[in-house]
Every structure is written in structure tokens, then in C-alpha cells.
Amino acid sequence: MQISTMGDPEGNAQGGFLILDQDLKVKGRWSEEVTKFGYDFWYQPRHNVMFSSEWGTPSAFTKGFNPLLVPTSYGSDLHVWDWQKKKQVQTLKLGTDGLIPLEIRFLHNPESTHGFVGAALSSNIIHFTKGSDGQWVHKVVIKQGWPKMIGWTLPTLPPLITDILISLDDKYLYFSNWLRGDIAQYDITDPENPQLAGRVWLGGCCRKGGPYKVVGGLPEDAPDAPEIPTVKGHQLLGGPQMLQLSRDGKRLYVSNSLFSSWDKQFYPDMVEKGSYMLQVDVDTVKGGLNLNPEFYTDFGAEPDGPVLAHEIRYPGGDCSSDIWE
């Protein structure tokens, strides 16, 4: 088993990878090389390549988010590795369009060289592929505006892309905007030209009747602050975060906890009452997302008190773990 690491024992930034055996004991490093920051990774064996992304310095992000630390304590690069030699071969500098690149995905087709990364803070989706000269290239293919706010910490609010996934048939890309409050569905039949296919609002800071006033900058398909529904009598606190899609692509599951210190900073009511898991019904033919009003998993009702739910996985493999050789 290969896992990624983000820091040293003192909380300094250092990206790397460890190999664990079947008893979850550390056997050693996957590579002796390290990166400045670490986070996610994805590989495409037929192209002998692995990509890794960057979050930030553990001693910084574990205390919550301080925007003043972005230039020094958070990443903006993608790292390209030779999968067999376990060596870095290229670094893609994403710049201000790619601040805090987190979740990274190749298409599931093992022959494909197309992939995407969600830049959390910049709130853009960046596409990458292999150029004709053998070098990897990237460009922003979905650029999101920042809503203009009154009463929030800053004049504008980053949507904050915290998770992305691709359907098993490689038709749709999904991503969650944890602060803005929506999940977007894009048709990626042409990976370099995604087209909006659906959107659903599940909480967030941009809501009708919420504590902050939205005065502009929402998506064109939702120009006004949305009214957030209740589900089985529960108010939807927090924002949509981790995603998982059924293998047939028809049911999208979503949790709402990002990281406890960030949860406490941005959504203290959610921390107090516990998180949840929701189900979104997907139109796999024409595109479209609709909240299932009858599905609500309440993690605020645990025997020992409210807890915060994060990752969602299917036994035996799913859209965010399956890689074909």
C-alpha cells in the first residue's frame, strides 16, 4: 500500500510517500525524493507516470486557514514522476490560477493522458495532458468567480474546491465548492472543453437568509443566493465536501466535514451538531443533479456524541480509487 505524506515530525512541510505492508507496517519510502509540499497522487501505469499535488505546511493548516500565510505555507505546483524509476521528471507551475491544488484525477481509461486537478483556493479546475513533445502541459478549463459578500471575513469568498471525481465512464466530472455551497457536474466528453451539465446547492455561505449577504459574483445559472432545503427536518449546515459516486453513475454521495480546525473556523454550528451524508440523484443521459429528500445519514446522533464525517468509499473499489493497468 502506498500513502502520501505532508510533513515531518515537527510539522514542517515535506511531501513524500510511504509503503505499507498488509499488516499496515511501514516498510520504507516509495522514493527517496521529496517535494516541498505534499497531498494527493494518481498514476497511469500504461504511461509510466504519477502526478502528485500540494496542500501546505502542517503546522499552518492544522491551526485553521490564515490567508496571510498563502505565499509561504501553501502549495501551487503539480509534480510529475516516472512511475517505474520513482523519480521526479517535471514540475508544473500553476501560479495564482492554481493555489492549493488538492484532489487529482486521471480519466479511468488507462490509455488516456488526460487528467484534472481542483485548485482549492483559486477555485479553478485545471486540465493536464501529455504534449506532442512528451512534456506534460496544463491549462485552466473551468474558472470560477468569487462571490462578493457583505459580513464575511473578506470582501469576496473563494468557492473553495475541496473534492473532485470522475464517473467510471469518463463522461462527467464532479466537484464540490465547500464555502460557496454547491456541487457542479461537467460533461468532459471533450476533456479540454468541459461543459456545465448540472448543479445542486447543499448549504455553504451563499444562502438566502444566511448570516452573510451575497451582492454579486454567483454563477450565471444561479444569479441569486439560493434557498437551501431541509432534509428530513434537518437544516443543511456546512458545505458539500467529499464526494463518492455509485458505479452506475446514478447516485452521488456527499459529506460536509473538511478538516476539524477549518470546520470550527468556518462552520462552528456543524461541529457542534455533527455532520451528515446526503445523496444526490444524477441524470446520466442529459446531465443534472437533484437532492434526494429521503436520504440523510446523521452523524450528530452517534452514541458518544456528534462526529465529523469525511471520506466515503465503496467496498471493492470506486470512482476515486480504481486505476486500471
Side-chain angles (χ1 to χ4, degrees):
M1 180 187 298
Q2 180 176 334
I3 64 173
S4 59
T5 62
M6 294 186 284
D8 64 17
E10 287 72 43
N12 301 308
Q14 185 182 95
F17 308 93
L18 297 178
I19 298 297
L20 279 60
D21 65 16
Q22 62 184 6
D23 297 318
L24 302 183
K25 294 181 179 179
V26 176
K27 303 298 290 184
R29 292 180 178 269
W30 177 76
S31 171
E32 293 303 315
E33 297 187 22
V34 297
T35 56
K36 184 176 181 181
F37 302 104
Y39 187 62
D40 196 20
F41 66 96
W42 196 278
Y43 55 96
Q44 200 72 314
R46 293 191 189 180
H47 294 281
N48 188 35
V49 67
M50 182 180 84
F51 270 64
S52 65
S53 63
E54 300 184 331
W55 186 358
T57 304
S59 61
F61 67 69
T62 54
K63 298 173 183 176
F65 179 64
N66 182 349
L68 297 179
L69 296 180
V70 170
T72 58
S73 298
Y74 290 90
S76 60
D77 294 344
L78 294 182
H79 303 281
V80 187
W81 300 76
D82 184 302
W83 177 244
Q84 294 181 345
K85 295 180 180 179
K86 304 176 183 178
K87 300 285 186 181
Q88 294 182 65
V89 294
Q90 191 178 346
T91 298
L92 301 183
K93 299 288 186 179
L94 307 182
T96 56
D97 280 335
L99 297 175
I100 314 184
L102 294 183
E103 306 292 338
I104 189 166
R105 305 283 185 266
F106 271 101
L107 296 189
H108 296 286
N109 179 356
E111 298 290 346
S112 177
T113 61
H114 293 283
F116 300 88
V117 64
L121 183 57
S122 298
S123 300
N124 299 322
I125 297 294
I126 296 171
H127 167 265
F128 55 85
T129 191
K130 197 172 188 178
S132 57
D133 61 355
Q135 293 293 294
W136 293 85
V137 295
H138 72 279
K139 70 174 182 178
V140 176
V141 290
I142 303 173
K143 191 173 182 64
Q144 299 192 114
W146 290 25
K148 298 177 181 178
M149 310 290 288
I150 294 177
W152 201 68
T153 307
L154 300 171
T156 57
L157 177 142
L160 207 74
I161 297 174
T162 51
D163 196 16
I164 71 171
L165 63 75
I166 296 173
S167 59
L168 283 178
D169 61 3
D170 291 336
K171 182 178 180 180
Y172 291 115
L173 168 74
Y174 300 86
F175 60 89
S176 55
N177 289 303
W178 188 63
L179 286 180
R180 194 169 68 185
D182 60 300
I183 297 174
Q185 175 196 36
Y186 275 79
D187 187 319
I188 54 169
T189 304
D190 177 357
E192 298 186 53
N193 187 33
Q195 299 296 312
L196 180 65
R199 191 188 309 277
V200 63
W201 293 84
L202 301 175
C205 296
C206 299
R207 61 172 75 203
K208 186 177 295 184
Y212 315 115
K213 184 177 181 180
V214 184
V215 293
L218 288 174
E220 292 183 0
D221 58 298
D224 299 319
E227 186 168 346
I228 305 302
T230 59
V231 180
K232 303 191 77 171
H234 295 276
Q235 182 183 5
L236 298 188
L237 303 173
Q241 212 286 91
M242 298 305 291
L243 306 174
Q244 191 53 261
L245 187 67
S246 60
R247 296 185 185 97
D248 63 6
K250 295 181 179 181
R251 295 171 305 284
L252 182 68
Y253 297 92
V254 53
S255 62
N256 61 337
S257 171
L258 174 57
F259 189 72
S260 61
S261 58
W262 292 43
D263 293 347
K264 293 173 185 176
Q265 180 179 356
F266 294 106
Y267 296 121
D269 289 348
M270 178 189 71
V271 176
E272 179 183 349
K273 297 181 180 180
S275 64
Y276 53 70
M277 182 172 67
L278 305 174
Q279 179 186 305
V280 175
D281 295 325
V282 180
D283 185 331
T284 60
V285 179
K286 298 180 181 178
L289 303 175
N290 289 286
L291 177 63
N292 182 342
E294 300 301 321
F295 186 101
Y296 187 93
T297 302
D298 185 5
F299 293 99
E302 292 297 299
D304 295 325
V307 297
L308 300 172
H310 188 75
E311 293 277 3
I312 306 168
R313 288 287 183 265
Y314 269 88
D318 50 50
C319 292
S320 54
S321 62
D322 283 358
I323 295 174
W324 282 270
E325 295 186 359

